[in-house]
Amino acid sequence: MRHTKVKDLLNSTTTLQEINAKGWVRTFRNNQFIALNDGSTINNIQCVVDFENTPDETLKRITTGAAVSVTGTLAESKGAGQKYEIQVTKLEILGDSDAEKFPMQPKKHSLEFLRENAHLRVRTNAFGAIMRVRSVLSYAVHSYFQQKGFVYVNTPIITGADAEGAGEMFQVTSLPLDNLPKNEEGNIDYKKDFFGKHTNLTVSGQLEGETFAMALGQIYTFGPTFRAENSNTSRHLAEFWMIEPEVAFNDLNDNMDLAEDFIRYVIKYVIEKCTDDLKFLEGRLLEEEKSKPQAERSEMALLEKLNFVLENNFKRVSYTEAIDILRDSTPNKKKKFQYIINEWGADLQSEHERYLVEKHFKSPVILFDYPANIKAFYMRLNEDGKTVRAMDILFPGIGEIVGGSQREERFDVLAEKMKALGIDEEELWWYLDTRRFGSAVHSGFGLGFERLVLFVTGMTNIRDVIAFPRTPQNAEF
Ligand code: 4AD
Ligand code: MG
C-alpha cells in the first residue's frame, strides 16, 4: 500500500479506513503512543499501538529515531491535542535506532551541539521548520522574478574575475600543490593549470549577469557564492547563496523599489504558506528571549516583525545623513561604539548599521550614495565626484541584507576607475565590451539568501539556516 503523508492525514476531513504512514519515531509513551513525524509537517501524528497483540520484542524496538511503517485506520482521537490519530493494526520496524546512542534525544539541545550533528539536527522540530521555510522561500524567489518576466541565468561558479575586487577568493586549480610548475620568471605557471589561467570560485555572478541584462533586459541569478573572508561571525558563511537581479534602464531609485517589492513578496508568500512552521519558530524565539536580559529582548514577536516589513516602507537615508545621525548619537558620544564615527568617509560597521535600524529608525533602512572609496569599482559615480550610487538595505537583527548599485555605464569613467584601482583591463575585456557596445543605465543588487532566512525564521546564527555550513576551520559533512 502507498503511504500517505502525515500532513495529509492530519488535514483529512474524514476518518479513513486502511491507511499507511511511514516516518520516524519522535517519542514512544506508555508502551502505546507513538509520536510519528515524516517531515511533511512540523506536527507529529499520534499512532496508538495495540500493545496487547504486539510482541514485546517489537514494542522494544519502537525507540526514538527508529523508522517505522504503521498501517491502520485514521480515527478521531480520544486524547486532547489532536483531531485524528492512527489506530495501528500492523506495525513494522523499518530501521532500528539505538535509543541510548541516538544524539537527538527528545529534550532541548544546545544549538552548538546540533551544529556538530548537522546530519541529524534536521530531525528536530526547529530544524525541520527552518529547512521547510528555506525551501518555500527559494520557491518564492523564483516565483517573484518569473511572474515579472525576468530570465533566470546560471552564471559560472568557476571564474577568473573578482567581481567585488576584495580578493577574498578560493582558488581553483588542478596543479600538483607539492610540485608547482614555474615559468621563466620563477612564478607559478598558470598556463599549465587546467584552464590555462588563474581561476577561483565566484564571489558574485554580477559581472556576467550584467552582460545578460544588456541583452535580455531583466535577469536574475540564484546560486552559490564563495568568500574566503576570515570573519568568524554569526552573519558570514564561506559558502552562501545569493540572488542577484540586474535590470537594464533601471536607475538607483528603481533598484530600491524593486528590492523592497521583492522582499515584501517573498515574506508575504512564506507567511501564507508556512503558518505552522512560523508559529513554532515564533514560540521558540519567545522562549529564547526569556533567557535574555530585558534590555536585549526584541520588542516584537516574529510574525509581528514580518508583518511590520510588509506594512511599512523602508526608510531611505543617504550615507551623509546617516553619518550625521551616528556622530550625534549617544553611543558615539559616550564612546560605546567600538569604532567611533568622527568624520565623513568612515566605513560603517555592523554596530552602526544596527544602531540606525534598531534604535534610531526602528525600521528597515536603505542607505544610499556611499563614498566611492569604500565601495566596489563598478558603481556609478555621482556628479559630486566623491560618492557612488550604491545602496545597502539594513534589517533589524541582521544588519546588511542587500548590497546593490546603479552601475557605471560610461566607458571612460569605468576604465579610469579600474586603472586607478589596478584592475587589469585585459582580464575584464568582456565586461568593458558591455560599455563599448550599446551601453545604458542599469542597476542590480545582491540579496544574501541565508540572511533572509535568518530574518524570516528569527534565528540568530547563520550556521543554523543552511544545511551544512562552511565557515573557517569547518567543512564537516
Ligand atoms: O554586498 P555584496 O558583497 O554585493 C555583491 O556581491 C554585489 N555583486 C551584488 C550585486 O550588486 N549584484 O553581497 C551581497 C549580499 C550582502 O548584502 C549579504 O546579504 C550577502 O550578500 N553576503 C553574505 N552572506 C553570507 N555570508 C557572507 N560571507 C556574505 N557576504 C555577503
Ligand atoms: Mg555589501
Side-chain angles (χ1 to χ4, degrees):
M1 197 193 332
R2 180 94 200 108
H3 69 277
T4 308
K5 279 187 298 200
V6 168
K7 184 180 183 178
D8 295 337
L9 292 172
L10 291 174
N11 285 338
S12 177
T13 47
T14 58
T15 57
L16 297 165
Q17 299 299 317
E18 273 285 294
I19 52 96
N20 174 257
K22 291 183 170 68
W24 294 268
V25 176
R26 283 290 172 81
T27 56
F28 185 41
R29 286 187 297 120
N30 299 352
N31 228 12
Q32 191 178 12
F33 302 110
I34 302 175
L36 187 75
N37 190 282
D38 70 352
S40 60
T41 156
I42 188 133
N43 300 308
N44 304 325
I45 194 160
Q46 170 156 292
C47 309
V48 187
V49 178
D50 178 7
F51 64 98
E52 279 167 355
N53 294 308
T54 308
D56 265 0
E57 264 317 292
T58 310
L59 289 174
K60 273 194 203 127
R61 292 169 64 197
I62 308 175
T63 55
T64 298
V68 298
S69 165
V70 291
T71 307
T73 57
L74 187 72
E76 279 185 20
S77 177
K78 293 176 203 99
Q82 67 267 326
K83 191 163 164 223
Y84 292 119
E85 63 190 19
I86 301 176
Q87 302 274 351
V88 181
T89 51
K90 188 173 158 229
L91 181 132
E92 204 185 326
I93 309 285
L94 303 175
D96 288 288
S97 167
D98 184 332
E100 254 145 56
K101 290 197 183 130
F102 184 57
M104 301 295 114
Q105 295 292 323
K107 62 162 198 179
K108 198 165 165 48
H109 293 289
S110 73
L111 290 167
E112 290 77 15
F113 172 82
L114 292 168
R115 261 169 237 147
E116 286 160 16
N117 290 281
H119 61 307
L120 294 174
R121 69 177 175 175
V122 68
R123 296 197 194 187
T124 63
N125 281 333
F127 283 88
I130 294 163
M131 292 305 153
R132 277 186 298 270
V133 168
R134 182 182 165 112
S135 163
V136 171
L137 267 176
S138 55
Y139 187 77
V141 167
H142 285 293
S143 163
Y144 178 81
F145 288 117
Q146 294 287 332
Q147 269 182 29
K148 293 202 166 272
F150 281 62
V151 177
Y152 178 41
V153 186
N154 301 121
T155 48
I157 288 171
I158 301 174
T159 172
D162 175 5
E164 293 307 299
E168 292 160 334
M169 294 169 301
F170 291 101
Q171 191 175 335
V172 174
T173 180
S174 61
L175 291 176
L177 293 182
D178 50 1
N179 185 21
L180 291 166
K182 299 279 168 69
N183 58 21
E184 277 162 16
E185 291 96 65
N187 299 323
I188 297 167
D189 187 1
Y190 285 108
K191 291 212 174 65
K192 299 226 167 68
D193 203 350
F194 189 91
F195 298 105
K197 63 184 287 190
H198 186 275
T199 53
N200 43 263
L201 295 177
T202 187
V203 295
S204 156
Q206 178 195 325
L207 302 191
E208 292 89 348
E210 281 185 55
T211 69
F212 268 53
M214 296 315 281
L216 301 172
Q218 327 177 78
I219 65 98
Y220 70 107
T221 73
F222 185 0
T225 41
F226 308 87
R227 295 197 185 176
E229 49 190 333
N230 206 353
S231 33
N232 224 335
T233 77
S234 56
R235 309 276 178 271
H236 289 86
L237 290 165
E239 176 180 296
F240 64 99
W241 287 66
M242 188 159 40
I243 296 132
E244 294 185 276
E246 190 72 34
V247 184
F249 317 117
N250 263 12
D251 65 14
L252 190 68
N253 282 320
D254 302 324
N255 204 30
M256 294 186 204
D257 293 343
L258 177 68
E260 270 198 50
D261 191 50
F262 164 58
I263 292 175
R264 284 212 185 88
Y265 176 92
V266 295
I267 290 181
K268 185 154 182 276
Y269 192 95
V270 86
I271 290 176
E272 280 165 14
K273 305 279 179 195
C274 298
T275 324
D276 289 351
D277 286 327
L278 289 177
K279 234 184 246 156
F280 174 85
L281 290 166
E282 173 164 278
R284 188 200 158 275
L285 190 61
L286 279 176
E287 274 303 305
E288 205 177 75
E289 294 280 308
K290 277 188 204 153
S291 64
K292 288 187 194 163
Q294 192 82 38
E296 284 170 34
R297 286 185 202 166
S298 159
E299 286 162 25
M300 286 189 217
L302 182 60
L303 282 154
E304 203 182 340
K305 205 174 67 168
L306 299 181
N307 279 307
F308 183 87
V309 172
L310 298 188
E311 287 153 17
N312 295 280
N313 287 334
F314 302 177
K315 293 275 178 334
R316 299 185 183 187
V317 185
S318 74
Y319 167 90
T320 303
E321 289 170 74
I323 285 291
D324 289 343
I325 294 167
L326 288 167
R327 206 177 344 194
D328 294 341
S329 70
T330 315
N332 202 56
K333 286 183 181 153
K334 292 198 168 157
K335 304 220 180 326
K336 288 272 157 60
F337 284 143
Q338 200 185 337
Y339 296 88
I340 300 301
I341 299 283
N342 289 319
E343 56 198 80
W344 192 93
D347 204 353
L348 300 183
Q349 305 296 326
S350 95
E351 56 180 349
H352 309 127
E353 297 176 343
R354 294 186 64 169
Y355 174 83
L356 290 169
V357 171
E358 289 160 29
K359 298 281 188 289
H360 190 84
F361 289 106
K362 296 189 193 295
S363 149
V365 170
I366 310 185
L367 287 188
F368 61 91
D369 285 353
Y370 281 77
N373 60 359
I374 58 171
K375 288 291 181 186
F377 75 95
Y378 49 71
M379 296 184 181
R380 176 67 155 80
L381 189 64
N382 277 314
E383 304 315 317
D384 63 13
K386 57 175 194 172
T387 60
V388 285
R389 305 239 75 194
M391 64 153 196
D392 277 5
I393 302 186
L394 314 178
F395 260 43
I398 308 287
E400 180 190 335
I401 193 163
V402 162
S405 61
Q406 183 176 321
R407 318 307 188 187
E408 182 56 76
E409 84 285 10
R410 298 164 297 182
F411 179 90
D412 296 343
V413 182
L414 183 61
E416 197 159 310
K417 181 73 179 279
M418 286 169 60
K419 201 163 169 197
L421 292 173
I423 301 169
D424 193 354
E425 233 183 83
E426 267 155 45
E427 277 290 314
L428 285 182
W429 63 275
W430 51 271
Y431 183 68
L432 284 163
D433 265 3
T434 55
R435 275 66 171 176
R436 282 191 185 101
F437 308 112
S439 189
V441 165
H442 62 289
S443 302
F445 62 84
L447 173 115
F449 187 55
E450 283 75 20
R451 293 196 185 170
L452 175 70
V453 184
L454 266 184
F455 182 72
V456 170
T457 57
M459 299 301 289
T460 48
N461 193 316
I462 201 162
R463 293 165 179 78
D464 298 331
V465 297
I466 188 165
F468 298 107
R470 298 291 177 249
T471 50
Q473 298 298 311
N474 173 36
E476 193 64 48
F477 308 103

